[in-house]
Amino acid sequence: SGAITLDRGYKNSGSCLSEITFLDGEEGILRYRGYSIEELAEKAHFLEVSYLLIFGELPTAEQLKQYETDIRKYTLVNEEMKNIIDGFPKTAHPMGVLSALTSALTAFNPKAVNPDNPKELYESVCKIMGKFLVIATWTYRKTMGYPLNYYDNTKGYVENFMNLMFHLPTEPYKANPIIVDALDKLFILHADHEQNCSTSTVRMVGSSHAGLFASISAGASALWGPLHGGANQAVLEMLEEIHAHGGDTEKYLAKAKDKDDPFRLMGFGHRVYKNFDPRAKIIKKAADEVLSTLGVDDPILEIAKKLEAAALVDEYFVSRKLYPNVDFYSGIIYRALGIPTDMFTVMFAIGRLPGWIAQWKEMRINKEPIGRPRQIYTGHAFRGFVPVDKR
Ligand code: CMC
């Protein structure tokens, strides 16, 4: 054992070698397997991107068709899972339910996948891609008290998401293609982001050779927090609060700068980006487009823009290189699409799933050792035990 280097929050530690995602935080560049995020968001579809992340190359038309078919095969969720959902109160947060249900999938799929067996691995990938989408929407159906929907094999993956969420037995439902396209793009933008908190969690849990589903469940729990994926819900709640207080953005900027006030400007700042988050740029443009195409006039969007403009010229934010991140505008689009606020982080999770899977797979294939950081002990030196009657 040598000297231990302290690196709180692993700000300067590389935990692995990875071929999946390239991120340059100074320049604001993000690429999946070499392809720029801008080009993928514009030209590719979410399932195509998930294949790219997980298997390393863009699929051929034939591979993509097969992949979609194979995912479809696994979209039936065990009926007993419904009993588990029924055990939750209606008021439960969908992220807690999602993490628990993903963990529960291990009970119905107990065999640990062998990552060195390509066929077994491929089947597990399709299985989690199929089932996770369905249970993610069930968390919403539960809070609404609606009957649970099944995957419709005649529709695509993202269209199915809308259908699973919003189809009611009493009225036929047809997802708006504009909404499906916007969601597809949002899922692509969230699909991977190298060693972020939830992905590192997936790798850490998986490094003990716990199964894929157990690792993904842990990733969902990590994503839930407001400093990570939970920020998208927190941003919208913050914008609504500012709106309710007459749109006074200056007051909230002052609060964010006040070191005695725990309030932070949600959706601002990033561990790695010290420049514009490239995803935020695309999402801001998409928010404008989606709202105008759907004819939605949302005062919240104006508040967000005002807040962003003021922060970008404010010395506090400029000197700390705090820019809008992926979560700043995404919630405004979700809201325009009719997604309830407490489902925003679930949306992030659906998008991030391919990244979690790809990183888990790479970790196992590269035979990474168990994750086990050290510490610098700051507690008591040796003390003799004092019996209870002498304390
Ligand atoms: N509002 C006000 N001050 C901030 C903010 C903010 N949003 N973000 C960072 N700062 C300040 C922070 O107080 C610190 O100031 P000082 O140097 O005076 O102590 C400085 O900027 C550096 O911040 P940090 O907390 O040391 O940076 P970090 O890398 O540990 O944290 C972060 C990164 C994303 C957790 C943080 O910026 C934050 O809390 N942002 C708000 C939550 C958020 O939007 N999270 C989403 C992240 S992006 C995608 C995702 O993971 O979902």
Side-chain angles (χ1 to χ4, degrees):
S1 72
I4 291 165
T5 316
L6 180 65
D7 185 15
R8 298 172 79 186
Y10 313 119
K11 291 193 180 200
N12 299 298
S13 293
S15 62
C16 59
L17 298 174
S18 182
E19 297 179 353
I20 303 169
T21 288
F22 173 80
L23 203 174
D24 182 335
E26 296 297 327
E27 298 292 329
I29 298 173
L30 176 62
R31 295 185 199 131
Y32 298 160
R33 303 271 186 194
Y35 297 101
S36 82
I37 192 70
E38 289 81 9
E39 210 177 355
L40 289 171
E42 197 190 318
K43 299 179 186 164
H45 287 292
F46 178 58
L47 275 194
E48 221 178 342
V49 170
S50 77
Y51 190 99
L52 169 72
L53 285 166
I54 299 168
F55 300 109
E57 294 296 338
L58 284 168
T60 61
E62 200 181 314
Q63 283 169 331
L64 184 59
K65 199 160 162 251
Q66 190 61 48
Y67 180 53
E68 283 190 57
T69 309
D70 293 332
I71 288 176
R72 225 177 270 147
K73 275 200 294 223
Y74 291 112
T75 48
L76 263 185
V77 177
N78 196 296
E79 284 296 306
E80 282 158 300
M81 286 281 284
K82 292 183 176 172
N83 300 335
I84 302 175
I85 298 181
D86 282 340
F88 286 99
K90 261 175 81 174
T91 49
H93 192 283
M95 278 304 283
V97 180
L98 177 63
S99 176
L101 291 181
T102 308
S103 186
L105 283 177
T106 58
F108 303 99
N109 302 273
K111 193 175 168 297
V113 52
N114 171 7
D116 296 318
N117 178 333
K119 190 167 168 286
E120 248 185 56
L121 185 68
Y122 177 78
E123 270 172 20
S124 289
V125 169
C126 295
K127 215 180 236 183
I128 189 76
M129 284 294 294
K131 293 187 193 299
F132 192 81
L133 182 81
V134 176
I135 58 178
T137 64
W138 282 4
T139 66
Y140 164 71
R141 305 287 294 190
K142 168 74 195 174
T143 58
M144 301 300 289
Y146 293 157
L148 305 178
N149 281 331
Y150 294 96
Y151 200 90
D152 179 342
N153 287 341
T154 64
K155 297 184 167 73
Y157 191 81
V158 179
E159 192 181 354
N160 253 294
F161 168 79
M162 291 300 287
N163 210 52
L164 283 156
M165 285 280 289
F166 298 118
H167 172 79
L168 290 172
T170 43
E171 45 195 290
Y173 177 81
K174 174 90 186 77
N176 179 340
I178 297 169
I179 295 184
V180 172
D181 278 357
L183 273 184
D184 197 287
K185 191 183 290 227
L186 280 168
F187 287 151
I188 291 174
L189 293 173
H190 285 89
D192 193 49
H193 212 233
E194 52 119 296
Q195 306 313 318
N196 58 85
C197 177
S198 58
T199 302
S200 298
T201 301
V202 169
R203 278 186 177 255
M204 178 67 97
V205 172
S207 78
S208 74
H209 294 194
L212 174 61
F213 296 180
S215 306
I216 300 288
S217 159
S221 294
L223 188 73
W224 189 3
L227 298 188
H228 189 13
N232 58 14
Q233 173 172 347
V235 168
L236 208 99
E237 286 164 357
M238 173 186 81
L239 295 174
E240 277 170 347
E241 194 183 312
I242 299 176
H243 182 54
H245 287 84
D248 188 356
T249 48
E250 286 306 319
K251 181 177 142 203
Y252 285 82
L253 273 186
K255 269 167 74 66
K257 295 192 282 186
D258 180 356
K259 292 286 160 193
D260 295 327
D261 189 328
F263 175 78
R264 283 189 162 200
L265 193 56
M266 298 315 286
F268 255 76
H270 196 274
R271 170 59 63 78
V272 190
Y273 291 121
K274 302 302 165 200
N275 199 324
F276 264 96
D277 180 335
R279 302 166 300 172
K281 277 194 198 166
I282 304 173
I283 294 180
K284 182 182 181 183
K285 197 163 153 262
D288 268 330
E289 283 166 10
V290 169
L291 267 62
S292 73
T293 320
L294 295 177
V296 177
D297 182 16
D298 191 343
I300 296 278
L301 179 63
E302 291 318 309
I303 290 176
K305 285 185 177 168
K306 205 170 131 193
L307 205 53
E308 179 192 332
L312 288 178
V313 294
D314 189 295
E315 148 59 27
Y316 175 95
F317 293 91
V318 173
S319 63
R320 289 172 180 77
K321 300 189 176 167
L322 301 171
Y323 290 89
N325 60 49
V326 68
D327 296 315
F328 195 66
Y329 284 104
S330 62
I332 295 174
I333 306 190
Y334 293 142
R335 183 167 131 116
L337 305 188
I339 313 281
T341 314
D342 65 359
M343 279 295 287
F344 288 4
T345 312
V346 174
M347 306 298 291
F348 193 150
I350 295 170
R352 183 54 53 88
L353 179 66
W356 289 337
I357 300 171
Q359 302 270 354
W360 181 90
K361 172 176 171 266
E362 184 178 68
M363 184 264 312
R364 290 299 305 272
I365 297 231
N366 287 356
K367 305 215 178 327
E368 294 290 352
I370 187 166
R372 204 308 184 184
R374 298 301 310 275
Q375 63 167 17
I376 291 169
Y377 177 70
T378 59
H380 285 284
F382 174 77
R383 307 197 273 178
F385 180 77
V386 181
V388 70
D389 58 337
K390 299 267 163 53
R391 281 174 224 156

